[in-house]
Amino acid sequence: MTLPPLDSPHWQGSLKAFGWGLRATSATILSLVLFVTFIGIGALAHDTHFSMLWAILSTVLVWAGPAQIILVSTLGSGQTILQSAIAVTMSAIRLFPMVVAVLPLIRSPDTKRRHLVLIAHFTAVTLWVECYRFLPHVPRERRIAFVHGLGTGLMGVALVATIIGYLLAANLSQTFGAAVLLLTPLAFLFSTLRNAKELADVLALGLGLVLYPVAAQLNSGVDILVSGVVAGTVAFSVHKWRERREAA
């Protein structure tokens, strides 16, 4: 999908920008990935004997596939609400840097904090990836409305898929359910690679992939965190070294 030019009259009004955000939902392959993934999550909720209303609310309120899987599996295995809340919170911490990265692309000097609350909730890996692709082509004063539309569209896709997965759960094999959940990290990986423009981005991604098998040998339970922090630190150090070298 090609967005209108920045000075186009198509951007006049927040409602039009919201509409362009909704339309952008159909222009990303991640919408299809979300759809298939949340079919698996709906089926998982059904198999662990949660109600459809509960499954729908978990999609709206948690809005993160891995965190929802943690929530369903921990509560389904008999863990307490407090234990499940702690586990989901630890999973959600990974989204904080994404929020920090996205908000400067959206806000302007006149933006009030209340305008960013819903965007912060919508910010998961899907929205984070697509904001870097779409927002440079959206006038800054219309970006909040655009992201509201994009987030609403993505969540709508996930809600429909959750309901379908819940209703079809009896006909879905465990192998298929596991396979569709695997699509999410793979799609995010390729989308991040597509959006990697700087050497630091490519280096961080490449080092993370190389270091993960090594970190997994530690059996620490934080393999991804260890490999990500080390790869990111090295990539950032190389980026700063190149900046100093070019300045000299």
Side-chain angles (χ1 to χ4, degrees):
M1 183 186 78
T2 302
L3 294 174
L6 294 176
D7 57 352
S8 171
H10 289 289
W11 292 116
Q12 292 179 1
S14 296
L15 189 59
K16 288 185 178 180
F18 181 88
W20 280 109
L22 279 177
R23 289 182 61 182
T25 306
S26 64
T28 169
I29 189 62
L30 294 184
S31 293
L32 179 59
V33 174
L34 274 181
F35 185 79
V36 178
T37 299
F38 277 84
I39 286 179
I41 291 176
L44 180 64
H46 176 276
D47 291 344
T48 45
H49 308 293
F50 290 100
S51 68
M52 181 184 292
L53 177 60
W54 188 96
I56 291 173
L57 287 176
S58 73
T59 296
V60 173
L61 299 177
V62 178
W63 187 230
Q68 283 178 258
I69 295 172
I70 292 172
L71 180 64
V72 173
S73 59
T74 53
L75 290 178
S77 63
Q79 301 296 319
T80 66
I81 294 178
L82 179 59
Q83 289 172 317
S84 299
I86 293 174
V88 171
T89 300
M90 293 299 294
S91 171
I93 289 175
R94 68 193 170 87
L95 301 176
F96 180 72
M98 300 179 193
V99 176
V100 173
V102 165
L103 291 187
L105 298 176
I106 299 171
R107 67 188 311 169
S108 65
D110 299 327
T111 301
K112 296 180 172 57
R113 289 185 179 179
R114 66 175 180 271
H115 297 154
L116 302 174
V117 172
L118 186 57
I119 291 175
H121 176 63
F122 278 146
T123 302
V125 180
T126 311
L127 190 100
W128 170 65
V129 168
E130 293 305 328
C131 276
Y132 277 92
R133 183 160 73 104
F134 287 123
L135 290 185
H137 308 287
V138 179
R140 183 167 288 273
E141 67 274 12
R142 299 295 178 224
R143 290 182 180 181
I144 291 178
F146 179 88
V147 175
H148 281 162
L150 179 61
T152 300
L154 292 173
M155 184 172 286
V157 170
L159 284 173
V160 171
T162 300
I163 295 172
I164 293 175
Y166 192 94
L167 295 175
L168 294 179
N171 300 315
L172 291 177
S173 66
Q174 289 186 344
T175 303
F176 178 79
V180 298
L181 293 176
L182 181 62
L183 283 176
T184 303
L186 288 177
F188 292 155
L189 174 63
F190 291 123
S191 297
T192 303
L193 180 60
R194 179 192 62 193
N195 289 344
K197 306 298 183 183
E198 301 289 337
L199 173 63
D201 300 330
V202 177
L203 185 59
L205 186 60
L207 282 176
L209 292 174
V210 171
L211 292 176
Y212 175 72
V214 178
Q217 299 302 315
L218 300 175
N219 294 320
S220 61
V222 289
D223 317 329
I224 296 178
L225 178 63
V226 171
S227 58
V229 169
V230 173
T233 301
V234 172
F236 180 76
S237 300
V238 171
H239 174 69
K240 298 302 291 185
W241 174 77
R242 291 188 68 207
E243 280 190 338
R244 288 195 297 269
R245 184 179 178 183
E246 290 174 358

